[in-house]
Amino acid sequence: MSKTRKDSLFLAAGVLGAFSAGLAVGRGISRAGTTCTGLPRASLLDTLALGLEVFAPVVAQGVIIRRPPMVALAEKLDLDRRAVQRMQKLRDKYGRGPLMLPLPIRKQAVVLDPRHAQRVLDGSPAPFSPASTEKRGALSHFEPKAVLLSEGAERSERRRFNEAALDTAHPMHRMAAGFLPLAEEEAARILEAARAQGRLDWDVWSQGWYRLIRRIVLGNGAAEDHELQEMITRLRGAANWAGFHPTMRGKRERFLERIRMYLDRAEPGSLAGFMAQIPRNALTAPEQQVPQWLFAFDAAVIASFRALALLDTYPDQLQRAREEIAERSGKPQLPFLRATLLEALRLWPTTPMVLRQSREETQWEDGAMPADTGVLIHAPFFHRDDAHLPYADRFTPELWREDWEGGVKRDWPLIPFSDGPVICPGRHLVLMTGSHLLAALLEKHTLRLENKRLDPARLPGTLDNFGLRFQVS
């Protein structure tokens, strides 16, 4: 039996066993039906299928930091497309939901209706808190006082600070004049390294990106701080296991102390220098907001590499990108390249599971959801629902144009950076940085996929970013 086949069977057996053991001790869960509050309740078999085909692939690939072998396996077995198909079957069987799962020790709901997804996102942080049990278990490994894990006055203060530092209200950060030349410099380094080894692969790409992120967030003095990168990688690896991995308090404190050092230095031209001017109080915990920024930039590292694959697959769209790059002195926001990044995030979400937890009982069309219920929005289900979206499996950057009326974007949850009051405060900074790095790479060079071809009529459900390789000319 092949190793890939053994890995997939091991994954299936493990998840099936875990769900079977948990569900067997529950009460009154043998049949599908409704809960005592009227919401539909999944059957045992459907709950097992959900765990195996939707939840398990996400966890196996890594929720906080990706596991390259499992991402490659997910692409080979088309696991993410299977997850979307499972969610479609649940919607067809149970209707609009929310669908309650018969778990014995936790109240859990899965969102099946786009209007419900938007309601949950618009209703955050209250009554649907982003500080879910699972998120606390994971993110506390490296940022226990981050805004995502905060509530009440602490959350309000930390959100204010994040929005001020990341300049959330503006597509171009007010420090853009200093940040964009750094993108140009790192693009040149990436191209030089790619030519030296004969191709552009993930190692060259990610190393260049992480160097750029450290320079933007912490300053040029952090450019070669590989130890800092190793620290957060190790802590995020532990976070993949959430509460099942012991908290490495000593390593976490050393990591946060390193962040404090850069914040105290407040190098001019960096976010650290910019945020030094922002008022704070005893609740702010600035050093614990920075790790989330480093974490959030991972979306750009992954999405921008996949964006290169998209542009190689669609020559007409690549030409549009080149035209925009040629005119970028008059269009500093680079709207088409931003749309390309957003499409990479729609097609292959870097945050596939959007989690909330209800803090009070909520009323729905078919009944009540109890307080303290975990709520799951599976982003790939809504992003790639080919039963409702004609563009589900195609590169469609027009979706992100403000004046485009050709689809259902305005009443459908396309949520590459979440949505509502807790939408990612750094989304514009991420898109600005990523689009300008792409522009610098593509301005005078051609990058062609070396090792695989994508079908433009039906893009894959999973795209292994670690396995992409490009020829540079």
Side-chain angles (χ1 to χ4, degrees):
M1 183 181 293
S2 70
K3 184 178 185 300
T4 297
R5 180 64 173 164
K6 288 179 180 178
D7 286 346
S8 65
L9 288 176
F10 178 79
L11 173 63
V15 174
L16 185 63
F19 267 72
S20 297
L23 291 170
V25 301
R27 293 179 292 179
I29 59 174
S30 60
R31 295 188 302 245
T34 60
T35 64
C36 60
T37 59
L39 294 178
R41 182 187 63 189
S43 70
L44 170 60
L45 290 178
D46 284 334
T47 304
L48 288 171
L50 179 72
L52 180 60
E53 296 182 2
V54 178
F55 180 74
V58 172
V59 174
Q61 291 177 68
V63 176
I64 304 300
I65 189 169
R66 299 294 184 269
R67 300 181 177 103
M70 296 310 300
V71 176
L73 180 63
E75 180 185 73
K76 184 172 184 178
L77 300 181
D78 208 14
L79 295 183
D80 293 305
R81 191 181 303 280
R82 292 185 187 184
V84 171
Q85 292 168 345
R86 172 55 57 187
M87 292 292 294
Q88 290 172 324
K89 290 176 183 176
L90 292 174
R91 178 186 58 202
D92 292 344
K93 180 174 181 178
Y94 293 100
R96 59 192 172 190
L99 179 63
M100 301 297 295
L101 303 184
L103 302 179
I105 57 175
R106 173 175 173 76
K107 297 186 288 291
Q108 180 66 50
V110 177
V111 176
L112 302 175
D113 186 285
R115 294 166 300 174
H116 294 168
Q118 202 62 56
R119 175 187 170 183
V120 171
L121 295 169
D122 289 344
S124 303
F128 301 105
S129 172
S132 67
T133 301
E134 300 88 352
K135 203 174 293 181
R136 286 184 181 278
L139 298 184
S140 61
H141 282 275
F142 59 94
E143 51 179 29
K145 295 182 181 179
V147 64
L148 279 175
L149 303 185
S150 306
E151 299 189 79
E154 290 181 340
R155 185 188 186 283
S156 296
E157 165 58 20
R158 291 165 188 170
R159 178 74 188 196
R160 177 202 65 80
F161 185 82
N162 274 267
E163 290 186 354
L166 299 172
D167 205 10
T168 301
H170 302 104
M172 298 291 288
H173 196 284
R174 66 191 68 187
M175 296 287 290
F179 293 163
L180 297 185
L182 300 182
E184 298 272 354
E185 292 173 15
E186 294 305 329
R189 287 176 179 268
I190 289 171
L191 288 167
E192 181 181 4
R195 283 193 291 265
Q197 72 170 15
R199 68 175 62 90
L200 174 59
D201 61 13
W202 176 255
D203 286 342
V204 169
W205 181 255
S206 59
Q207 288 171 16
W209 249 111
Y210 291 135
R211 177 185 166 92
L212 173 60
I213 293 166
R214 291 193 298 271
R215 294 179 72 187
I216 287 176
V217 176
L218 302 173
N220 289 325
E224 301 300 334
D225 194 344
H226 302 293
E227 184 179 359
L228 177 71
Q229 197 67 42
E230 291 171 2
M231 286 181 180
I232 193 169
T233 297
R234 180 70 181 90
L235 290 167
R236 288 174 59 197
N240 266 347
W241 297 97
F244 295 99
H245 193 290
T247 301
M248 298 181 289
R249 299 183 189 279
K251 185 175 289 292
R252 183 179 69 190
E253 185 51 40
R254 289 191 296 274
F255 168 67
L256 293 174
E257 184 56 40
R258 183 73 65 95
I259 296 292
R260 291 188 199 100
M261 179 191 73
Y262 286 113
L263 297 187
D264 291 342
R265 184 181 298 174
E267 184 176 319
S270 68
L271 276 179
F274 179 71
M275 63 193 282
Q277 309 166 40
I278 300 172
R280 62 192 71 184
N281 62 33
L283 300 179
T284 309
E287 76 282 357
Q288 298 222 23
Q289 312 315 308
V290 171
Q292 182 62 28
W293 306 348
L294 301 175
F295 176 28
F297 260 113
D298 250 22
V301 180
I302 296 171
S304 53
F305 209 42
R306 289 168 170 166
L308 290 174
L310 284 173
L311 292 172
D312 178 67
T313 302
Y314 294 82
D316 290 346
Q317 305 287 24
L318 175 59
Q319 181 57 33
R320 288 179 62 186
R322 293 194 182 283
E323 291 170 359
E324 179 175 82
I325 293 166
E327 301 170 357
R328 63 174 162 162
S329 59
K331 297 179 180 179
Q333 291 187 28
L334 299 175
F336 179 76
L337 285 174
R338 285 184 183 233
T340 299
L341 288 170
L342 287 165
E343 268 294 87
L345 290 166
R346 177 186 71 84
L347 291 160
W348 304 290
T350 54
T351 305
M353 294 196 299
V354 179
L355 304 176
R356 298 289 186 267
Q357 197 150 333
S358 64
R359 294 303 186 218
E360 61 188 54
E361 181 178 280
T362 54
Q363 297 296 322
W364 304 79
E365 295 95 326
D366 296 327
M369 180 188 294
D372 201 33
T373 297
V375 183
L376 166 65
I377 299 173
H378 185 246
F381 167 51
F382 292 107
H383 289 192
R384 303 290 290 269
D385 184 6
D386 56 3
H388 291 86
L389 307 180
Y391 50 78
D393 297 321
R394 300 196 308 270
F395 176 42
T396 312
E398 292 83 2
L399 274 174
W400 306 100
R401 271 177 32 194
E402 291 297 327
D403 60 343
W404 194 66
E405 299 293 344
V408 294
K409 175 178 180 290
R410 287 166 179 78
D411 58 3
W412 195 270
L414 301 180
I415 48 174
F417 289 101
S418 189
D419 203 357
V422 300
I423 191 171
C424 175
R427 64 194 182 280
H428 289 313
L429 178 58
V430 166
L431 292 172
M432 181 193 80
T433 306
S435 60
H436 280 80
L437 184 67
L438 288 175
L441 288 166
L442 295 171
E443 185 171 23
K444 298 178 182 178
H445 297 83
T446 299
L447 280 72
R448 298 299 309 272
L449 271 172
E450 179 182 272
N451 59 324
K452 65 176 71 179
R453 308 306 304 170
L454 305 184
D455 180 0
R458 193 169 188 261
L459 292 167
T462 308
L463 181 59
D464 175 16
N465 52 285
F466 302 105
L468 296 175
R469 296 194 296 274
F470 296 86
Q471 294 177 345
V472 180
S473 59

PDB file of all heavy atoms in Angstrom, residues 106 142 269 413:
ATOM      1  N   ARG A 106     -20.390  19.425  24.184  1.00  0.00           N
ATOM      2  CA  ARG A 106     -20.271  20.763  23.627  1.00  0.00           C
ATOM      3  C   ARG A 106     -21.472  21.045  22.734  1.00  0.00           C
ATOM      4  O   ARG A 106     -21.896  20.195  21.959  1.00  0.00           O
ATOM      5  CB  ARG A 106     -18.981  20.885  22.815  1.00  0.00           C
ATOM      6  CG  ARG A 106     -18.867  22.209  22.068  1.00  0.00           C
ATOM      7  CD  ARG A 106     -17.526  22.329  21.371  1.00  0.00           C
ATOM      8  NE  ARG A 106     -17.455  23.511  20.523  1.00  0.00           N
ATOM      9  CZ  ARG A 106     -17.299  24.746  20.960  1.00  0.00           C
ATOM     10  NH1 ARG A 106     -17.192  24.970  22.260  1.00  0.00           N
ATOM     11  NH2 ARG A 106     -17.236  25.774  20.129  1.00  0.00           N
ATOM     12  N   PHE A 142       0.707  31.852  21.797  1.00  0.00           N
ATOM     13  CA  PHE A 142       1.670  32.906  21.469  1.00  0.00           C
ATOM     14  C   PHE A 142       1.112  34.317  21.603  1.00  0.00           C
ATOM     15  O   PHE A 142       1.875  35.280  21.492  1.00  0.00           O
ATOM     16  CB  PHE A 142       2.252  32.706  20.055  1.00  0.00           C
ATOM     17  CG  PHE A 142       1.239  32.691  18.940  1.00  0.00           C
ATOM     18  CD1 PHE A 142       0.931  33.846  18.239  1.00  0.00           C
ATOM     19  CD2 PHE A 142       0.605  31.509  18.572  1.00  0.00           C
ATOM     20  CE1 PHE A 142       0.020  33.829  17.196  1.00  0.00           C
ATOM     21  CE2 PHE A 142      -0.311  31.481  17.526  1.00  0.00           C
ATOM     22  CZ  PHE A 142      -0.613  32.648  16.839  1.00  0.00           C
ATOM     23  N   GLY A 269      10.128  54.559  10.462  1.00  0.00           N
ATOM     24  CA  GLY A 269       9.788  53.945   9.183  1.00  0.00           C
ATOM     25  C   GLY A 269       9.140  52.590   9.298  1.00  0.00           C
ATOM     26  O   GLY A 269       8.738  52.008   8.287  1.00  0.00           O
ATOM     27  N   PRO A 413     -21.744  35.570   1.419  1.00  0.00           N
ATOM     28  CA  PRO A 413     -20.554  35.723   2.289  1.00  0.00           C
ATOM     29  C   PRO A 413     -19.260  35.276   1.632  1.00  0.00           C
ATOM     30  O   PRO A 413     -18.823  34.147   1.776  1.00  0.00           O
ATOM     31  CB  PRO A 413     -20.909  34.845   3.497  1.00  0.00           C
ATOM     32  CG  PRO A 413     -21.844  33.814   2.962  1.00  0.00           C
ATOM     33  CD  PRO A 413     -22.626  34.475   1.862  1.00  0.00           C
TER      34      PRO A 413
END
